[in-house]
Amino acid sequence: MELQLGLSLQSTHTHTKGFDLNSKGFEGEDQMVTINNNNGCYKFDMIKKKRSFIEAFDYGGGDSITKTLFPLLSLNGHPNEEDDDGNGRKKRVNHAIHKDEGEAAYGLVGWPPIKLWRRKMFHGNDQGRRIGGDHDDRTAHNERRKRRKSMYVKVNMEGVGIGRKIDLRLFHSYHSLANTLITMFSINKKINKDGEPYALLYQDDEGDWLLAGDVPWQTFIETVQRMEILRNAG
Amino acid sequence: MAYSFPEEVLEHVFSFLNTDRDRNTVSLVNKSWYEIERWCRRRIFIGNCYSISPNAMIRRFPEVRSVEIKGKPHFADFNLVPEGWGGYVYPWISAMARAYPWLEEIRLKRMVVSDESLELISKEFKNFKVLVLSSCEGFSTDGLATIAANCRNLRELDLRESEVDDLSGHWLSHFPDTFTSLESLNISCLSSEVSFSALERLVSRCPNLRSLRLNRAVPLEKLSNLLRRAPQLVEFGTGAYFAEPRPDVLPNLVAAFSGCKKLKALSGFWDVVPAYLPAVHSVCSGITSLNFSYAPIPSHDLVNVVIQCPKLQRLWVLDSIEDSGLDDVATFCKDLEELRVFPSDPFGAEANVSLTERGLVSVSEGCPKLQSVLYFCRQMSNAALAAIALNRPNLIRFRLCIIEPQAPDYQTLEPLDVGFGAIVEQCKELRRLSLSGLLTDHVFEYIGTHGKKLEMLSIAFAGNSDSGLHHVLSGCERLRKLEIRDSPFGDRALLANAAKLETMRSLWMSSCSVSFGACKLLGQKLPRLNVEVIDERGTPDSRSESCPVEKLYIYRTVVGPRFDMPDFVQTMDLDAPIRLS
């Protein structure tokens, strides 16, 4: 319920009288013509019947977008963006990802309209920690890459639609990590724990995909950005 | 001779009036009633912190115990309001510290709260009981430490979704050993680990604790300890629901949950391992509220819990529940009143789960008490919307977000005007509506014609021309909050309906076509409005009259332009058209 600001304010009214500036001798009608494309200080294409929002906003058409490969995680320091389709194809194009932390889909700020907390969930950042606000500049990006802020990494399994996020701080060895992953995903895939061979791959902070277990555990947790479980062919 | 009741009698009668509307009404009867009422009003709600000044509030209402204040516009939640815009609570706190020494409750939403403010609260209000900071920012765990240390009678500390500068978890240890009055604690937004032993001791010594929402850093293995110490809990939010597989984890959890006979609400569930979910089964029969919206687990794992909750009234989930899961909700949760479905992959271009309009139609069919909907999906049709409208004419809040902007009806490729039109026409009690998808001016015609109870409307990428905005402003009699982004609405509708703006709390327009000149005109002609132009692009001088403003925030106020604006915000007002703050 609102505080009534003044006794004279009506809380409801049935018909709003238009405030007709012309009747007060204001000749602004012409001067106040809405911008459109005339003076060029603001381009705003009115969307009429365009089906594709991307076309309307001059993103160069759908085709060229789908062919563009966006830089992967290693270039922007965000370890956990959704850029695979869950079928093991890692480099699927996702033109919806924006590199800024004020994430945007389709290059738009604030769309889809999701609160900060949920956005953070998708980027694996620690909740609540802020360095000078939502819009990081380049320095903050680099700083964050040097000291690892988030120990949450995403794990995808081939054939499973939904990835999982795990907190690496909970593990102390490859063995404990592997056991947990098997438990986590065995329900999805109904695999026998000693059965089919699976390989655990991870992507390091330089973007390379490596087999887990090759480097010392400490090095691994300092560099791992995300993991993938693939069926072992051999 | 004046025939009147003694003041005390009137005051006693007024004590039964709890809503602001009723209290405002009685205060209009005559001067005497106005005086009596203002001295006995204890609770104040201020929907826009810039609509009135702290001193004006204090002058009229000298004996207030509870204050609720809101700051930034709603679209600040989505990064549309630049940092530094305003919404500072400190002037309120410092004024109230002098005037309301017996203030007990402060509830803030979208405000900037400094550590100094928190310290002032902790030291100046001797009987302080309730602090709720919803989507606030600007403070650190140091400020929380002062609250913990000094508020001897604190009952509620709720930090829901606030941005806290989380320096360490040590603040919790500042609650003294003699402190036992805590009833509700929500720290789910914090990332640092609090001292678990301090938390355990706190929970143990507060027998009235009924609501506990932990943060992600509290490990699953510790949950049993806490629940055993607080079997009286009514609301519980877990931390990370994940642990290394050990044989004792599940049995401990099962035992701990089964001891909590009063649990009605569950939340948290970050990083869920589905194998541990059955631990909550013993409490499901009493559960009325489930928040699984941070748990991206497969549908069948969610459903296994949900179908055991016949009394469920509120369900927040991710779209990983899928249409099939919502079918089950429709079958088993007949008491459902509120459904929120959030996207598990909002920035992905394609659907990662099988959740479509069908799930929502299903719930609208099966759940007769459904009144509040927030639904993110990737496809919608006019037929589905019409079905939902016919099934559920009792809807009060309907917020639909089709993730691709301007997506048409996926079956007919038509705009979704008719579908949303059905919603406003059938749902006569609809108070809140958020639109999405491909929409022309027609939808606004429907809304203006039928949305007579509509109080809040959110518009994005919709409409063709000013007539759309005109329909809304001239037709929606109860409209209080209107927020619009990226829609081709300009000067004409705004100026033609300028007087309407004084009957609303606020209007937000960003990336529309309102010219700088129109803003100046509105600001000059309507002194009871603040017309704020927010523009980070350049200096005011370089802007021509016909140039569209980036963002516009208009709100009614009795105290004129504010003085705490950053340089990218200008208020258009009577004196100088260009004001530098």
Side-chain angles (χ1 to χ4, degrees), chain A residues 205-225:
Chain A
D205 54 5
E206 281 164 19
D208 302 319
W209 282 91
L210 307 166
L211 198 61
D214 281 353
V215 300
W217 174 254
Q218 200 55 36
T219 312
F220 169 73
I221 58 171
E222 272 163 24
T223 59
V224 59
Q225 301 298 309

mmCIF file of all heavy atoms in Angstrom, chain A residues 205-225:
data_model
loop_
_atom_site.group_PDB
_atom_site.id
_atom_site.type_symbol
_atom_site.label_atom_id
_atom_site.label_comp_id
_atom_site.label_asym_id
_atom_site.label_seq_id
_atom_site.Cartn_x
_atom_site.Cartn_y
_atom_site.Cartn_z
ATOM 1 N N ASP A 205 43.709 -23.286 -18.502
ATOM 2 C CA ASP A 205 43.456 -21.860 -18.695
ATOM 3 C C ASP A 205 44.087 -21.301 -19.962
ATOM 4 O O ASP A 205 44.000 -20.112 -20.223
ATOM 5 C CB ASP A 205 43.898 -21.048 -17.462
ATOM 6 C CG ASP A 205 45.336 -21.325 -17.105
ATOM 7 O OD1 ASP A 205 46.021 -22.055 -17.852
ATOM 8 O OD2 ASP A 205 45.778 -20.823 -16.063
ATOM 9 N N GLU A 206 44.722 -22.165 -20.716
ATOM 10 C CA GLU A 206 45.190 -21.697 -22.027
ATOM 11 C C GLU A 206 44.300 -22.215 -23.145
ATOM 12 O O GLU A 206 44.586 -22.029 -24.316
ATOM 13 C CB GLU A 206 46.632 -22.154 -22.266
ATOM 14 C CG GLU A 206 47.607 -21.263 -21.518
ATOM 15 C CD GLU A 206 48.976 -21.902 -21.402
ATOM 16 O OE1 GLU A 206 49.255 -22.833 -22.178
ATOM 17 O OE2 GLU A 206 49.739 -21.476 -20.533
ATOM 18 N N GLY A 207 43.237 -22.912 -22.760
ATOM 19 C CA GLY A 207 42.291 -23.365 -23.762
ATOM 20 C C GLY A 207 42.552 -24.753 -24.294
ATOM 21 O O GLY A 207 41.820 -25.253 -25.137
ATOM 22 N N ASP A 208 43.608 -25.388 -23.803
ATOM 23 C CA ASP A 208 43.926 -26.718 -24.312
ATOM 24 C C ASP A 208 43.183 -27.795 -23.549
ATOM 25 O O ASP A 208 43.012 -27.726 -22.337
ATOM 26 C CB ASP A 208 45.439 -26.993 -24.161
ATOM 27 C CG ASP A 208 46.259 -25.954 -24.900
ATOM 28 O OD1 ASP A 208 45.854 -25.584 -26.024
ATOM 29 O OD2 ASP A 208 47.284 -25.508 -24.345
ATOM 30 N N TRP A 209 42.790 -28.800 -24.279
ATOM 31 C CA TRP A 209 42.127 -29.939 -23.664
ATOM 32 C C TRP A 209 43.133 -31.030 -23.374
ATOM 33 O O TRP A 209 43.888 -31.449 -24.260
ATOM 34 C CB TRP A 209 41.035 -30.474 -24.602
ATOM 35 C CG TRP A 209 39.819 -29.607 -24.546
ATOM 36 C CD1 TRP A 209 39.559 -28.538 -25.339
ATOM 37 C CD2 TRP A 209 38.716 -29.719 -23.627
ATOM 38 N NE1 TRP A 209 38.367 -27.972 -24.988
ATOM 39 C CE2 TRP A 209 37.826 -28.675 -23.948
ATOM 40 C CE3 TRP A 209 38.397 -30.600 -22.607
ATOM 41 C CZ2 TRP A 209 36.638 -28.481 -23.260
ATOM 42 C CZ3 TRP A 209 37.209 -30.400 -21.915
ATOM 43 C CH2 TRP A 209 36.351 -29.358 -22.247
ATOM 44 N N LEU A 210 43.139 -31.466 -22.123
ATOM 45 C CA LEU A 210 44.130 -32.452 -21.689
ATOM 46 C C LEU A 210 43.453 -33.591 -20.945
ATOM 47 O O LEU A 210 42.318 -33.454 -20.484
ATOM 48 C CB LEU A 210 45.148 -31.796 -20.744
ATOM 49 C CG LEU A 210 45.824 -30.515 -21.272
ATOM 50 C CD1 LEU A 210 46.526 -29.793 -20.135
ATOM 51 C CD2 LEU A 210 46.825 -30.881 -22.359
ATOM 52 N N LEU A 211 44.198 -34.665 -20.819
ATOM 53 C CA LEU A 211 43.677 -35.800 -20.069
ATOM 54 C C LEU A 211 43.946 -35.558 -18.593
ATOM 55 O O LEU A 211 45.079 -35.252 -18.193
ATOM 56 C CB LEU A 211 44.410 -37.057 -20.545
ATOM 57 C CG LEU A 211 43.779 -38.412 -20.225
ATOM 58 C CD1 LEU A 211 42.400 -38.511 -20.868
ATOM 59 C CD2 LEU A 211 44.678 -39.517 -20.758
ATOM 60 N N ALA A 212 42.915 -35.739 -17.779
ATOM 61 C CA ALA A 212 43.109 -35.506 -16.350
ATOM 62 C C ALA A 212 44.018 -36.590 -15.783
ATOM 63 O O ALA A 212 43.878 -37.768 -16.114
ATOM 64 C CB ALA A 212 41.770 -35.515 -15.638
ATOM 65 N N GLY A 213 44.910 -36.177 -14.924
ATOM 66 C CA GLY A 213 45.810 -37.146 -14.311
ATOM 67 C C GLY A 213 47.241 -36.999 -14.764
ATOM 68 O O GLY A 213 48.152 -37.518 -14.132
ATOM 69 N N ASP A 214 47.455 -36.269 -15.839
ATOM 70 C CA ASP A 214 48.807 -36.136 -16.364
ATOM 71 C C ASP A 214 49.671 -35.182 -15.550
ATOM 72 O O ASP A 214 50.875 -35.340 -15.471
ATOM 73 C CB ASP A 214 48.756 -35.633 -17.816
ATOM 74 C CG ASP A 214 48.419 -36.763 -18.772
ATOM 75 O OD1 ASP A 214 48.374 -37.926 -18.306
ATOM 76 O OD2 ASP A 214 48.217 -36.489 -19.965
ATOM 77 N N VAL A 215 49.037 -34.176 -14.982
ATOM 78 C CA VAL A 215 49.825 -33.190 -14.223
ATOM 79 C C VAL A 215 49.538 -33.370 -12.736
ATOM 80 O O VAL A 215 48.533 -33.964 -12.362
ATOM 81 C CB VAL A 215 49.491 -31.748 -14.659
ATOM 82 C CG1 VAL A 215 49.784 -31.555 -16.136
ATOM 83 C CG2 VAL A 215 48.067 -31.403 -14.314
ATOM 84 N N PRO A 216 50.434 -32.885 -11.897
ATOM 85 C CA PRO A 216 50.192 -32.985 -10.445
ATOM 86 C C PRO A 216 48.869 -32.330 -10.062
ATOM 87 O O PRO A 216 48.440 -31.370 -10.692
ATOM 88 C CB PRO A 216 51.365 -32.206 -9.829
ATOM 89 C CG PRO A 216 52.418 -32.186 -10.878
ATOM 90 C CD PRO A 216 51.735 -32.257 -12.191
ATOM 91 N N TRP A 217 48.235 -32.855 -9.042
ATOM 92 C CA TRP A 217 46.923 -32.402 -8.619
ATOM 93 C C TRP A 217 46.895 -30.891 -8.409
ATOM 94 O O TRP A 217 45.968 -30.208 -8.819
ATOM 95 C CB TRP A 217 46.532 -33.141 -7.339
ATOM 96 C CG TRP A 217 45.247 -32.659 -6.727
ATOM 97 C CD1 TRP A 217 45.117 -31.911 -5.608
ATOM 98 C CD2 TRP A 217 43.933 -32.857 -7.227
ATOM 99 N NE1 TRP A 217 43.793 -31.646 -5.363
ATOM 100 C CE2 TRP A 217 43.036 -32.222 -6.350
ATOM 101 C CE3 TRP A 217 43.408 -33.533 -8.342
ATOM 102 C CZ2 TRP A 217 41.666 -32.230 -6.532
ATOM 103 C CZ3 TRP A 217 42.025 -33.539 -8.522
ATOM 104 C CH2 TRP A 217 41.176 -32.889 -7.623
ATOM 105 N N GLN A 218 47.910 -30.371 -7.783
ATOM 106 C CA GLN A 218 47.936 -28.937 -7.472
ATOM 107 C C GLN A 218 47.902 -28.096 -8.740
ATOM 108 O O GLN A 218 47.186 -27.105 -8.834
ATOM 109 C CB GLN A 218 49.203 -28.613 -6.661
ATOM 110 C CG GLN A 218 49.133 -27.309 -5.880
ATOM 111 C CD GLN A 218 47.937 -27.236 -4.961
ATOM 112 O OE1 GLN A 218 47.531 -28.242 -4.375
ATOM 113 N NE2 GLN A 218 47.348 -26.077 -4.849
ATOM 114 N N THR A 219 48.691 -28.524 -9.713
ATOM 115 C CA THR A 219 48.694 -27.808 -10.986
ATOM 116 C C THR A 219 47.338 -27.908 -11.645
ATOM 117 O O THR A 219 46.818 -26.950 -12.210
ATOM 118 C CB THR A 219 49.743 -28.422 -11.944
ATOM 119 O OG1 THR A 219 50.964 -28.567 -11.235
ATOM 120 C CG2 THR A 219 49.940 -27.551 -13.175
ATOM 121 N N PHE A 220 46.770 -29.087 -11.545
ATOM 122 C CA PHE A 220 45.463 -29.325 -12.144
ATOM 123 C C PHE A 220 44.425 -28.354 -11.585
ATOM 124 O O PHE A 220 43.730 -27.663 -12.343
ATOM 125 C CB PHE A 220 45.060 -30.781 -11.883
ATOM 126 C CG PHE A 220 43.635 -31.091 -12.219
ATOM 127 C CD1 PHE A 220 43.230 -31.175 -13.552
ATOM 128 C CD2 PHE A 220 42.693 -31.303 -11.223
ATOM 129 C CE1 PHE A 220 41.910 -31.468 -13.869
ATOM 130 C CE2 PHE A 220 41.383 -31.599 -11.535
ATOM 131 C CZ PHE A 220 40.985 -31.685 -12.862
ATOM 132 N N ILE A 221 44.324 -28.262 -10.274
ATOM 133 C CA ILE A 221 43.250 -27.406 -9.751
ATOM 134 C C ILE A 221 43.541 -25.932 -9.951
ATOM 135 O O ILE A 221 42.620 -25.113 -9.927
ATOM 136 C CB ILE A 221 42.912 -27.684 -8.266
ATOM 137 C CG1 ILE A 221 44.116 -27.495 -7.362
ATOM 138 C CG2 ILE A 221 42.332 -29.058 -8.108
ATOM 139 C CD1 ILE A 221 43.737 -27.554 -5.911
ATOM 140 N N GLU A 222 44.782 -25.596 -10.207
ATOM 141 C CA GLU A 222 45.054 -24.186 -10.489
ATOM 142 C C GLU A 222 44.686 -23.808 -11.908
ATOM 143 O O GLU A 222 44.430 -22.640 -12.201
ATOM 144 C CB GLU A 222 46.537 -23.865 -10.254
ATOM 145 C CG GLU A 222 46.840 -23.478 -8.825
ATOM 146 C CD GLU A 222 48.318 -23.573 -8.496
ATOM 147 O OE1 GLU A 222 49.139 -23.490 -9.435
ATOM 148 O OE2 GLU A 222 48.650 -23.741 -7.310
ATOM 149 N N THR A 223 44.688 -24.786 -12.795
ATOM 150 C CA THR A 223 44.495 -24.428 -14.198
ATOM 151 C C THR A 223 43.188 -24.910 -14.813
ATOM 152 O O THR A 223 42.793 -24.433 -15.857
ATOM 153 C CB THR A 223 45.642 -24.986 -15.065
ATOM 154 O OG1 THR A 223 45.659 -26.414 -14.911
ATOM 155 C CG2 THR A 223 46.982 -24.405 -14.639
ATOM 156 N N VAL A 224 42.538 -25.855 -14.177
ATOM 157 C CA VAL A 224 41.350 -26.430 -14.812
ATOM 158 C C VAL A 224 40.231 -25.411 -14.885
ATOM 159 O O VAL A 224 39.969 -24.676 -13.931
ATOM 160 C CB VAL A 224 40.882 -27.699 -14.064
ATOM 161 C CG1 VAL A 224 40.546 -27.393 -12.616
ATOM 162 C CG2 VAL A 224 39.688 -28.316 -14.753
ATOM 163 N N GLN A 225 39.611 -25.339 -16.039
ATOM 164 C CA GLN A 225 38.489 -24.432 -16.226
ATOM 165 C C GLN A 225 37.180 -25.201 -16.307
ATOM 166 O O GLN A 225 36.139 -24.743 -15.859
ATOM 167 C CB GLN A 225 38.672 -23.631 -17.520
ATOM 168 C CG GLN A 225 39.948 -22.814 -17.562
ATOM 169 C CD GLN A 225 39.991 -21.771 -16.473
ATOM 170 O OE1 GLN A 225 39.066 -20.997 -16.296
ATOM 171 N NE2 GLN A 225 41.070 -21.743 -15.709
#
